[in-house]
Amino acid sequence: MRRTIMPIAAVLLAGLAACGPSDKPKPVDNGKAGSSAAASTPLTAQSAFQKIAASVSSAKLSGTVTADDDPNHLLGRPGQYTSKVTFSDSRIKAADVEGTKPGDVDRGGAVEVFADPADAATRAKYIQAVTKSMPALAEYDYVHGTVLVRVSHYLTPAQAAAYKTAADGLS
């Protein structure tokens, strides 16, 4: 009986070894594999700005905000932006922004990225509430998911709308 069991056991073990992980059926590539990998990569302010600048050619990166130089002291704080960049817009006249500092929204704008879409919406509502009674501080704010795009009030509504369209294209 031992002689019969040994060959059967050998055949069973060989069969199990042949059914290793490499024999599993491979998923069908429906052409979305690359896009799902890209979609799972969270946006940063830098990557969001690059996509926006591809649509708005007058926008130029002017700075990347760090925790050490954030004028608002919000970067990385609970419920606040996780990354931020500032940009200039060549359509804004130098005379209009004379006396402002590099990186001020008046010179073009800023892109702020949050961990949660609700935090981005809350920040936009806060900015609008603060600037509502002060036209000199007014700005255009566009929220798309976790991204808040802040745009200078020195741009016309039509010019600023290009940023909204670009922000709506972020994914």
Side-chain angles (χ1 to χ4, degrees):
M1 188 145 168
R2 274 193 178 157
R3 289 183 190 160
T4 309
I5 294 175
M6 292 301 274
I8 294 174
V11 170
L12 288 174
L13 287 175
L16 289 174
C19 293
S22 62
D23 288 344
K24 290 183 180 177
K26 292 187 168 64
V28 176
D29 182 5
N30 59 6
K32 296 181 182 177
S35 62
S36 66
S40 66
T41 303
L43 281 174
T44 64
Q46 179 82 28
S47 62
F49 175 75
Q50 288 172 345
K51 290 179 180 184
I52 291 167
S55 297
V56 184
S57 62
S58 57
K60 302 293 178 227
L61 185 67
S62 60
T64 300
V65 176
T66 67
D68 293 332
D69 65 12
D70 182 7
N72 299 314
H73 307 288
L74 299 176
L75 183 66
R77 306 292 195 295
Q80 301 302 325
Y81 41 86
T82 57
S83 63
K84 179 178 178 177
V85 297
T86 58
F87 59 91
S88 61
D89 189 299
S90 61
R91 298 171 292 184
I92 296 173
K93 298 174 189 156
D96 287 340
V97 293
E98 191 173 301
T100 62
K101 296 178 186 174
D104 282 354
V105 171
D106 282 350
R107 292 176 172 244
V111 177
E112 300 173 354
V113 175
F114 297 78
D116 182 283
D119 293 337
T122 298
R123 171 87 166 135
K125 287 177 189 172
Y126 169 77
I127 291 168
Q128 289 298 308
V130 168
T131 63
K132 187 174 185 176
S133 63
M134 296 182 265
L137 299 177
E139 62 186 53
Y140 303 94
D141 294 323
Y142 306 115
V143 178
H144 181 80
T146 60
V147 180
L148 168 60
V149 180
R150 302 173 58 193
V151 180
S152 175
H153 72 278
Y154 286 112
L155 293 174
T156 67
Q159 291 169 329
Y163 285 99
K164 180 184 183 333
T165 301
D168 288 346
L170 295 172
S171 53

